[in-house]
PDB file of all heavy atoms in Angstrom:
ATOM      1  N   GLY B 135      -3.188   4.955  -6.243  1.00 95.00           N
ATOM      2  CA  GLY B 135      -4.337   5.235  -7.084  1.00 95.00           C
ATOM      3  C   GLY B 135      -4.321   6.749  -7.485  1.00 95.00           C
ATOM      4  O   GLY B 135      -3.657   7.560  -6.852  1.00 95.00           O
ATOM      5  N   PRO B 136      -5.108   7.086  -8.514  1.00 96.00           N
ATOM      6  CA  PRO B 136      -5.052   8.456  -9.035  1.00 96.00           C
ATOM      7  C   PRO B 136      -5.565   9.507  -8.111  1.00 96.00           C
ATOM      8  O   PRO B 136      -5.002  10.610  -8.066  1.00 96.00           O
ATOM      9  CB  PRO B 136      -5.963   8.362 -10.306  1.00 96.00           C
ATOM     10  CG  PRO B 136      -6.846   7.185 -10.024  1.00 96.00           C
ATOM     11  CD  PRO B 136      -6.038   6.191  -9.253  1.00 96.00           C
ATOM     12  N   PHE B 137      -6.588   9.243  -7.297  1.00 94.00           N
ATOM     13  CA  PHE B 137      -7.101  10.263  -6.395  1.00 94.00           C
ATOM     14  C   PHE B 137      -6.116  10.565  -5.296  1.00 94.00           C
ATOM     15  O   PHE B 137      -5.908  11.720  -4.939  1.00 94.00           O
ATOM     16  CB  PHE B 137      -8.412   9.833  -5.804  1.00 94.00           C
ATOM     17  CG  PHE B 137      -9.140  10.958  -5.071  1.00 94.00           C
ATOM     18  CD1 PHE B 137      -9.639  12.045  -5.695  1.00 94.00           C
ATOM     19  CD2 PHE B 137      -9.323  10.851  -3.700  1.00 94.00           C
ATOM     20  CE1 PHE B 137     -10.268  13.089  -5.072  1.00 94.00           C
ATOM     21  CE2 PHE B 137      -9.989  11.884  -2.983  1.00 94.00           C
ATOM     22  CZ  PHE B 137     -10.454  12.959  -3.713  1.00 94.00           C
ATOM     23  N   THR B 138      -5.432   9.556  -4.756  1.00 92.00           N
ATOM     24  CA  THR B 138      -4.402   9.735  -3.745  1.00 92.00           C
ATOM     25  C   THR B 138      -3.189  10.463  -4.361  1.00 92.00           C
ATOM     26  O   THR B 138      -2.678  11.388  -3.757  1.00 92.00           O
ATOM     27  CB  THR B 138      -3.995   8.399  -3.155  1.00 92.00           C
ATOM     28  OG1 THR B 138      -5.110   7.850  -2.417  1.00 92.00           O
ATOM     29  CG2 THR B 138      -2.844   8.531  -2.220  1.00 92.00           C
ATOM     30  N   LEU B 139      -2.759  10.003  -5.500  1.00 94.00           N
ATOM     31  CA  LEU B 139      -1.574  10.633  -6.138  1.00 94.00           C
ATOM     32  C   LEU B 139      -1.885  12.106  -6.481  1.00 94.00           C
ATOM     33  O   LEU B 139      -0.969  12.929  -6.420  1.00 94.00           O
ATOM     34  CB  LEU B 139      -1.237   9.889  -7.425  1.00 94.00           C
ATOM     35  CG  LEU B 139       0.199  10.065  -8.001  1.00 94.00           C
ATOM     36  CD1 LEU B 139       1.278   9.668  -6.972  1.00 94.00           C
ATOM     37  CD2 LEU B 139       0.376   9.246  -9.266  1.00 94.00           C
ATOM     38  N   ALA B 140      -3.094  12.443  -6.790  1.00 94.00           N
ATOM     39  CA  ALA B 140      -3.473  13.798  -7.106  1.00 94.00           C
ATOM     40  C   ALA B 140      -3.505  14.736  -5.896  1.00 94.00           C
ATOM     41  O   ALA B 140      -3.472  15.939  -6.077  1.00 94.00           O
ATOM     42  CB  ALA B 140      -4.848  13.849  -7.792  1.00 94.00           C
ATOM     43  N   GLY B 141      -3.463  14.151  -4.730  1.00 90.00           N
ATOM     44  CA  GLY B 141      -3.565  14.959  -3.498  1.00 90.00           C
ATOM     45  C   GLY B 141      -2.399  15.893  -3.231  1.00 90.00           C
ATOM     46  O   GLY B 141      -2.530  16.844  -2.484  1.00 90.00           O
ATOM     47  N   ARG B 142      -1.280  15.616  -3.853  1.00 92.00           N
ATOM     48  CA  ARG B 142      -0.097  16.439  -3.632  1.00 92.00           C
ATOM     49  C   ARG B 142       0.151  17.387  -4.820  1.00 92.00           C
ATOM     50  O   ARG B 142       1.148  18.111  -4.883  1.00 92.00           O
ATOM     51  CB  ARG B 142       1.152  15.629  -3.468  1.00 92.00           C
ATOM     52  CG  ARG B 142       1.075  14.494  -2.403  1.00 92.00           C
ATOM     53  CD  ARG B 142       0.582  14.948  -1.059  1.00 92.00           C
ATOM     54  NE  ARG B 142       1.364  16.014  -0.472  1.00 92.00           N
ATOM     55  CZ  ARG B 142       1.036  16.617   0.657  1.00 92.00           C
ATOM     56  NH1 ARG B 142      -0.106  16.329   1.260  1.00 92.00           N
ATOM     57  NH2 ARG B 142       1.789  17.549   1.160  1.00 92.00           N
ATOM     58  N   ILE B 143      -0.761  17.487  -5.791  1.00 95.00           N
ATOM     59  CA  ILE B 143      -0.666  18.295  -6.964  1.00 95.00           C
ATOM     60  C   ILE B 143      -1.768  19.325  -7.027  1.00 95.00           C
ATOM     61  O   ILE B 143      -2.937  18.985  -7.205  1.00 95.00           O
ATOM     62  CB  ILE B 143      -0.668  17.451  -8.284  1.00 95.00           C
ATOM     63  CG1 ILE B 143       0.464  16.367  -8.243  1.00 95.00           C
ATOM     64  CG2 ILE B 143      -0.488  18.326  -9.484  1.00 95.00           C
ATOM     65  CD1 ILE B 143       0.431  15.451  -9.432  1.00 95.00           C
ATOM     66  N   LEU B 144      -1.417  20.582  -6.900  1.00 95.00           N
ATOM     67  CA  LEU B 144      -2.436  21.623  -7.093  1.00 95.00           C
ATOM     68  C   LEU B 144      -2.811  21.718  -8.564  1.00 95.00           C
ATOM     69  O   LEU B 144      -1.947  21.585  -9.423  1.00 95.00           O
ATOM     70  CB  LEU B 144      -1.909  23.000  -6.562  1.00 95.00           C
ATOM     71  CG  LEU B 144      -1.572  23.013  -5.099  1.00 95.00           C
ATOM     72  CD1 LEU B 144      -0.949  24.399  -4.731  1.00 95.00           C
ATOM     73  CD2 LEU B 144      -2.814  22.767  -4.255  1.00 95.00           C
ATOM     74  N   PRO B 145      -4.061  21.999  -8.864  1.00 96.00           N
ATOM     75  CA  PRO B 145      -4.469  21.973 -10.290  1.00 96.00           C
ATOM     76  C   PRO B 145      -3.906  23.146 -11.099  1.00 96.00           C
ATOM     77  O   PRO B 145      -3.813  23.022 -12.332  1.00 96.00           O
ATOM     78  CB  PRO B 145      -5.983  22.077 -10.237  1.00 96.00           C
ATOM     79  CG  PRO B 145      -6.300  22.659  -8.887  1.00 96.00           C
ATOM     80  CD  PRO B 145      -5.202  22.142  -7.961  1.00 96.00           C
ATOM     81  N   GLY B 146      -3.498  24.210 -10.473  1.00 94.00           N
ATOM     82  CA  GLY B 146      -2.996  25.356 -11.216  1.00 94.00           C
ATOM     83  C   GLY B 146      -4.007  25.882 -12.203  1.00 94.00           C
ATOM     84  O   GLY B 146      -5.218  25.897 -11.950  1.00 94.00           O
ATOM     85  N   LYS B 147      -3.547  26.312 -13.345  1.00 95.00           N
ATOM     86  CA  LYS B 147      -4.434  26.803 -14.422  1.00 95.00           C
ATOM     87  C   LYS B 147      -4.717  25.727 -15.436  1.00 95.00           C
ATOM     88  O   LYS B 147      -5.421  25.979 -16.439  1.00 95.00           O
ATOM     89  CB  LYS B 147      -3.805  28.036 -15.096  1.00 95.00           C
ATOM     90  CG  LYS B 147      -3.642  29.245 -14.139  1.00 95.00           C
ATOM     91  CD  LYS B 147      -3.042  30.418 -14.888  1.00 95.00           C
ATOM     92  CE  LYS B 147      -2.879  31.592 -13.930  1.00 95.00           C
ATOM     93  NZ  LYS B 147      -2.241  32.798 -14.641  1.00 95.00           N
ATOM     94  N   VAL B 148      -4.134  24.543 -15.230  1.00 96.00           N
ATOM     95  CA  VAL B 148      -4.210  23.482 -16.231  1.00 96.00           C
ATOM     96  C   VAL B 148      -5.486  22.642 -15.989  1.00 96.00           C
ATOM     97  O   VAL B 148      -6.145  22.229 -16.928  1.00 96.00           O
ATOM     98  CB  VAL B 148      -2.978  22.570 -16.194  1.00 96.00           C
ATOM     99  CG1 VAL B 148      -3.077  21.447 -17.254  1.00 96.00           C
ATOM    100  CG2 VAL B 148      -1.731  23.394 -16.373  1.00 96.00           C
ATOM    101  N   TYR B 149      -5.771  22.402 -14.716  1.00 97.00           N
ATOM    102  CA  TYR B 149      -6.917  21.493 -14.404  1.00 97.00           C
ATOM    103  C   TYR B 149      -7.909  22.301 -13.488  1.00 97.00           C
ATOM    104  O   TYR B 149      -7.545  23.277 -12.852  1.00 97.00           O
ATOM    105  CB  TYR B 149      -6.419  20.277 -13.652  1.00 97.00           C
ATOM    106  CG  TYR B 149      -5.476  19.418 -14.488  1.00 97.00           C
ATOM    107  CD1 TYR B 149      -4.114  19.480 -14.294  1.00 97.00           C
ATOM    108  CD2 TYR B 149      -5.993  18.626 -15.506  1.00 97.00           C
ATOM    109  CE1 TYR B 149      -3.242  18.660 -15.107  1.00 97.00           C
ATOM    110  CE2 TYR B 149      -5.170  17.860 -16.268  1.00 97.00           C
ATOM    111  CZ  TYR B 149      -3.821  17.902 -16.115  1.00 97.00           C
ATOM    112  OH  TYR B 149      -3.001  17.153 -16.888  1.00 97.00           O
ATOM    113  N   HIS B 150      -9.107  21.765 -13.516  1.00 96.00           N
ATOM    114  CA  HIS B 150     -10.180  22.462 -12.767  1.00 96.00           C
ATOM    115  C   HIS B 150     -10.082  22.241 -11.295  1.00 96.00           C
ATOM    116  O   HIS B 150     -10.208  23.188 -10.472  1.00 96.00           O
ATOM    117  CB  HIS B 150     -11.540  21.978 -13.258  1.00 96.00           C
ATOM    118  CG  HIS B 150     -12.718  22.558 -12.536  1.00 96.00           C
ATOM    119  ND1 HIS B 150     -13.032  23.880 -12.566  1.00 96.00           N
ATOM    120  CD2 HIS B 150     -13.643  21.966 -11.691  1.00 96.00           C
ATOM    121  CE1 HIS B 150     -14.066  24.137 -11.790  1.00 96.00           C
ATOM    122  NE2 HIS B 150     -14.480  22.980 -11.273  1.00 96.00           N
ATOM    123  N   ASP B 151      -9.808  20.986 -10.868  1.00 95.00           N
ATOM    124  CA  ASP B 151      -9.751  20.664  -9.438  1.00 95.00           C
ATOM    125  C   ASP B 151      -9.013  19.360  -9.279  1.00 95.00           C
ATOM    126  O   ASP B 151      -8.440  18.832 -10.232  1.00 95.00           O
ATOM    127  CB  ASP B 151     -11.156  20.609  -8.829  1.00 95.00           C
ATOM    128  CG  ASP B 151     -12.060  19.625  -9.550  1.00 95.00           C
ATOM    129  OD1 ASP B 151     -11.571  18.781 -10.361  1.00 95.00           O
ATOM    130  OD2 ASP B 151     -13.290  19.656  -9.363  1.00 95.00           O
ATOM    131  N   ARG B 152      -8.999  18.881  -8.037  1.00 95.00           N
ATOM    132  CA  ARG B 152      -8.298  17.598  -7.744  1.00 95.00           C
ATOM    133  C   ARG B 152      -8.778  16.468  -8.564  1.00 95.00           C
ATOM    134  O   ARG B 152      -8.021  15.621  -9.055  1.00 95.00           O
ATOM    135  CB  ARG B 152      -8.351  17.282  -6.233  1.00 95.00           C
ATOM    136  CG  ARG B 152      -7.710  15.986  -5.876  1.00 95.00           C
ATOM    137  CD  ARG B 152      -7.713  15.747  -4.386  1.00 95.00           C
ATOM    138  NE  ARG B 152      -7.122  14.493  -4.010  1.00 95.00           N
ATOM    139  CZ  ARG B 152      -6.809  14.118  -2.787  1.00 95.00           C
ATOM    140  NH1 ARG B 152      -6.988  14.975  -1.782  1.00 95.00           N
ATOM    141  NH2 ARG B 152      -6.265  12.918  -2.549  1.00 95.00           N
ATOM    142  N   VAL B 153     -10.066  16.372  -8.699  1.00 95.00           N
ATOM    143  CA  VAL B 153     -10.670  15.260  -9.492  1.00 95.00           C
ATOM    144  C   VAL B 153     -10.197  15.322 -10.909  1.00 95.00           C
ATOM    145  O   VAL B 153      -9.895  14.254 -11.570  1.00 95.00           O
ATOM    146  CB  VAL B 153     -12.215  15.295  -9.370  1.00 95.00           C
ATOM    147  CG1 VAL B 153     -12.842  14.315 -10.388  1.00 95.00           C
ATOM    148  CG2 VAL B 153     -12.664  14.994  -7.947  1.00 95.00           C
ATOM    149  N   ASP B 154     -10.105  16.486 -11.495  1.00 96.00           N
ATOM    150  CA  ASP B 154      -9.618  16.649 -12.845  1.00 96.00           C
ATOM    151  C   ASP B 154      -8.169  16.172 -12.985  1.00 96.00           C
ATOM    152  O   ASP B 154      -7.806  15.496 -13.915  1.00 96.00           O
ATOM    153  CB  ASP B 154      -9.750  18.136 -13.279  1.00 96.00           C
ATOM    154  CG  ASP B 154      -9.823  18.346 -14.753  1.00 96.00           C
ATOM    155  OD1 ASP B 154     -10.078  17.380 -15.481  1.00 96.00           O
ATOM    156  OD2 ASP B 154      -9.537  19.470 -15.224  1.00 96.00           O
ATOM    157  N   VAL B 155      -7.327  16.483 -11.963  1.00 97.00           N
ATOM    158  CA  VAL B 155      -5.984  15.990 -11.942  1.00 97.00           C
ATOM    159  C   VAL B 155      -6.000  14.483 -11.858  1.00 97.00           C
ATOM    160  O   VAL B 155      -5.201  13.786 -12.529  1.00 97.00           O
ATOM    161  CB  VAL B 155      -5.230  16.607 -10.748  1.00 97.00           C
ATOM    162  CG1 VAL B 155      -3.814  15.981 -10.621  1.00 97.00           C
ATOM    163  CG2 VAL B 155      -5.115  18.097 -10.867  1.00 97.00           C
ATOM    164  N   ALA B 156      -6.874  13.939 -11.034  1.00 97.00           N
ATOM    165  CA  ALA B 156      -6.955  12.482 -10.837  1.00 97.00           C
ATOM    166  C   ALA B 156      -7.316  11.751 -12.150  1.00 97.00           C
ATOM    167  O   ALA B 156      -6.746  10.668 -12.422  1.00 97.00           O
ATOM    168  CB  ALA B 156      -7.950  12.156  -9.726  1.00 97.00           C
ATOM    169  N   TYR B 157      -8.176  12.371 -12.925  1.00 97.00           N
ATOM    170  CA  TYR B 157      -8.501  11.710 -14.201  1.00 97.00           C
ATOM    171  C   TYR B 157      -7.339  11.652 -15.129  1.00 97.00           C
ATOM    172  O   TYR B 157      -7.122  10.663 -15.877  1.00 97.00           O
ATOM    173  CB  TYR B 157      -9.694  12.378 -14.856  1.00 97.00           C
ATOM    174  CG  TYR B 157     -11.038  11.909 -14.390  1.00 97.00           C
ATOM    175  CD1 TYR B 157     -11.861  12.632 -13.572  1.00 97.00           C
ATOM    176  CD2 TYR B 157     -11.524  10.623 -14.750  1.00 97.00           C
ATOM    177  CE1 TYR B 157     -13.100  12.205 -13.123  1.00 97.00           C
ATOM    178  CE2 TYR B 157     -12.708  10.113 -14.318  1.00 97.00           C
ATOM    179  CZ  TYR B 157     -13.512  10.915 -13.509  1.00 97.00           C
ATOM    180  OH  TYR B 157     -14.696  10.398 -13.060  1.00 97.00           O
ATOM    181  N   ALA B 158      -6.521  12.709 -15.132  1.00 97.00           N
ATOM    182  CA  ALA B 158      -5.297  12.688 -15.959  1.00 97.00           C
ATOM    183  C   ALA B 158      -4.344  11.643 -15.491  1.00 97.00           C
ATOM    184  O   ALA B 158      -3.719  10.911 -16.305  1.00 97.00           O
ATOM    185  CB  ALA B 158      -4.646  14.090 -15.889  1.00 97.00           C
ATOM    186  N   LEU B 159      -4.211  11.475 -14.183  1.00 97.00           N
ATOM    187  CA  LEU B 159      -3.368  10.479 -13.629  1.00 97.00           C
ATOM    188  C   LEU B 159      -3.868   9.049 -13.857  1.00 97.00           C
ATOM    189  O   LEU B 159      -3.107   8.118 -13.995  1.00 97.00           O
ATOM    190  CB  LEU B 159      -3.155  10.737 -12.137  1.00 97.00           C
ATOM    191  CG  LEU B 159      -2.352  11.964 -11.767  1.00 97.00           C
ATOM    192  CD1 LEU B 159      -2.460  12.271 -10.305  1.00 97.00           C
ATOM    193  CD2 LEU B 159      -0.869  11.810 -12.175  1.00 97.00           C
ATOM    194  N   ALA B 160      -5.227   8.897 -13.888  1.00 97.00           N
ATOM    195  CA  ALA B 160      -5.784   7.598 -14.079  1.00 97.00           C
ATOM    196  C   ALA B 160      -5.337   7.007 -15.423  1.00 97.00           C
ATOM    197  O   ALA B 160      -5.026   5.786 -15.513  1.00 97.00           O
ATOM    198  CB  ALA B 160      -7.301   7.681 -14.083  1.00 97.00           C
ATOM    199  N   ASP B 161      -5.240   7.826 -16.432  1.00 96.00           N
ATOM    200  CA  ASP B 161      -4.797   7.316 -17.722  1.00 96.00           C
ATOM    201  C   ASP B 161      -3.323   6.934 -17.692  1.00 96.00           C
ATOM    202  O   ASP B 161      -2.907   5.937 -18.290  1.00 96.00           O
ATOM    203  CB  ASP B 161      -5.025   8.377 -18.816  1.00 96.00           C
ATOM    204  CG  ASP B 161      -6.498   8.709 -19.048  1.00 96.00           C
ATOM    205  OD1 ASP B 161      -7.326   7.786 -18.767  1.00 96.00           O
ATOM    206  OD2 ASP B 161      -6.860   9.790 -19.526  1.00 96.00           O
ATOM    207  N   ILE B 162      -2.490   7.721 -16.985  1.00 97.00           N
ATOM    208  CA  ILE B 162      -1.094   7.401 -16.866  1.00 97.00           C
ATOM    209  C   ILE B 162      -0.884   6.052 -16.096  1.00 97.00           C
ATOM    210  O   ILE B 162      -0.126   5.167 -16.513  1.00 97.00           O
ATOM    211  CB  ILE B 162      -0.364   8.536 -16.126  1.00 97.00           C
ATOM    212  CG1 ILE B 162      -0.350   9.789 -17.033  1.00 97.00           C
ATOM    213  CG2 ILE B 162       1.063   8.122 -15.757  1.00 97.00           C
ATOM    214  CD1 ILE B 162       0.169  11.047 -16.317  1.00 97.00           C
ATOM    215  N   ILE B 163      -1.644   5.925 -15.026  1.00 97.00           N
ATOM    216  CA  ILE B 163      -1.532   4.714 -14.181  1.00 97.00           C
ATOM    217  C   ILE B 163      -2.039   3.515 -14.969  1.00 97.00           C
ATOM    218  O   ILE B 163      -1.439   2.405 -14.913  1.00 97.00           O
ATOM    219  CB  ILE B 163      -2.311   4.897 -12.873  1.00 97.00           C
ATOM    220  CG1 ILE B 163      -1.632   5.946 -11.985  1.00 97.00           C
ATOM    221  CG2 ILE B 163      -2.369   3.560 -12.105  1.00 97.00           C
ATOM    222  CD1 ILE B 163      -2.484   6.393 -10.832  1.00 97.00           C
ATOM    223  N   ASN B 164      -3.136   3.680 -15.712  1.00 98.00           N
ATOM    224  CA  ASN B 164      -3.678   2.559 -16.463  1.00 98.00           C
ATOM    225  C   ASN B 164      -2.665   2.034 -17.497  1.00 98.00           C
ATOM    226  O   ASN B 164      -2.440   0.818 -17.660  1.00 98.00           O
ATOM    227  CB  ASN B 164      -4.941   2.981 -17.176  1.00 98.00           C
ATOM    228  CG  ASN B 164      -5.495   1.869 -18.070  1.00 98.00           C
ATOM    229  OD1 ASN B 164      -5.401   1.894 -19.293  1.00 98.00           O
ATOM    230  ND2 ASN B 164      -6.122   0.889 -17.427  1.00 98.00           N
ATOM    231  N   ALA B 165      -1.955   2.932 -18.169  1.00 97.00           N
ATOM    232  CA  ALA B 165      -0.892   2.571 -19.116  1.00 97.00           C
ATOM    233  C   ALA B 165       0.211   1.754 -18.419  1.00 97.00           C
ATOM    234  O   ALA B 165       0.693   0.763 -18.963  1.00 97.00           O
ATOM    235  CB  ALA B 165      -0.328   3.773 -19.809  1.00 97.00           C
ATOM    236  N   GLU B 166       0.554   2.205 -17.202  1.00 97.00           N
ATOM    237  CA  GLU B 166       1.645   1.486 -16.454  1.00 97.00           C
ATOM    238  C   GLU B 166       1.141   0.098 -16.044  1.00 97.00           C
ATOM    239  O   GLU B 166       1.911  -0.862 -16.121  1.00 97.00           O
ATOM    240  CB  GLU B 166       2.008   2.316 -15.235  1.00 97.00           C
ATOM    241  CG  GLU B 166       3.158   1.755 -14.454  1.00 97.00           C
ATOM    242  CD  GLU B 166       4.495   2.041 -15.100  1.00 97.00           C
ATOM    243  OE1 GLU B 166       4.550   2.765 -16.082  1.00 97.00           O
ATOM    244  OE2 GLU B 166       5.531   1.507 -14.620  1.00 97.00           O
ATOM    245  N   LEU B 167      -0.098   0.013 -15.568  1.00 98.00           N
ATOM    246  CA  LEU B 167      -0.620  -1.293 -15.106  1.00 98.00           C
ATOM    247  C   LEU B 167      -0.746  -2.261 -16.281  1.00 98.00           C
ATOM    248  O   LEU B 167      -0.488  -3.464 -16.111  1.00 98.00           O
ATOM    249  CB  LEU B 167      -1.943  -1.084 -14.378  1.00 98.00           C
ATOM    250  CG  LEU B 167      -1.851  -0.271 -13.054  1.00 98.00           C
ATOM    251  CD1 LEU B 167      -3.234  -0.220 -12.440  1.00 98.00           C
ATOM    252  CD2 LEU B 167      -0.835  -0.860 -12.124  1.00 98.00           C
ATOM    253  N   ARG B 168      -1.207  -1.762 -17.419  1.00 98.00           N
ATOM    254  CA  ARG B 168      -1.260  -2.641 -18.565  1.00 98.00           C
ATOM    255  C   ARG B 168       0.085  -3.182 -18.937  1.00 98.00           C
ATOM    256  O   ARG B 168       0.260  -4.359 -19.287  1.00 98.00           O
ATOM    257  CB  ARG B 168      -1.852  -1.864 -19.775  1.00 98.00           C
ATOM    258  CG  ARG B 168      -3.347  -1.663 -19.705  1.00 98.00           C
ATOM    259  CD  ARG B 168      -3.844  -0.749 -20.836  1.00 98.00           C
ATOM    260  NE  ARG B 168      -5.270  -0.580 -20.837  1.00 98.00           N
ATOM    261  CZ  ARG B 168      -6.126  -1.125 -21.690  1.00 98.00           C
ATOM    262  NH1 ARG B 168      -5.679  -1.973 -22.606  1.00 98.00           N
ATOM    263  NH2 ARG B 168      -7.419  -0.868 -21.591  1.00 98.00           N
TER     264      ARG B 168
END
Side-chain angles (χ1 to χ4, degrees):
F137 190 67
T138 294
L139 199 58
R142 310 309 302 173
I143 303 176
L144 298 176
K147 297 180 180 179
V148 182
Y149 298 102
H150 177 65
D151 55 16
R152 177 175 178 168
V153 170
D154 203 18
V155 175
Y157 273 109
L159 290 168
D161 294 335
I162 293 171
I163 295 170
N164 178 255
E166 186 77 8
L167 296 183
R168 285 175 178 254

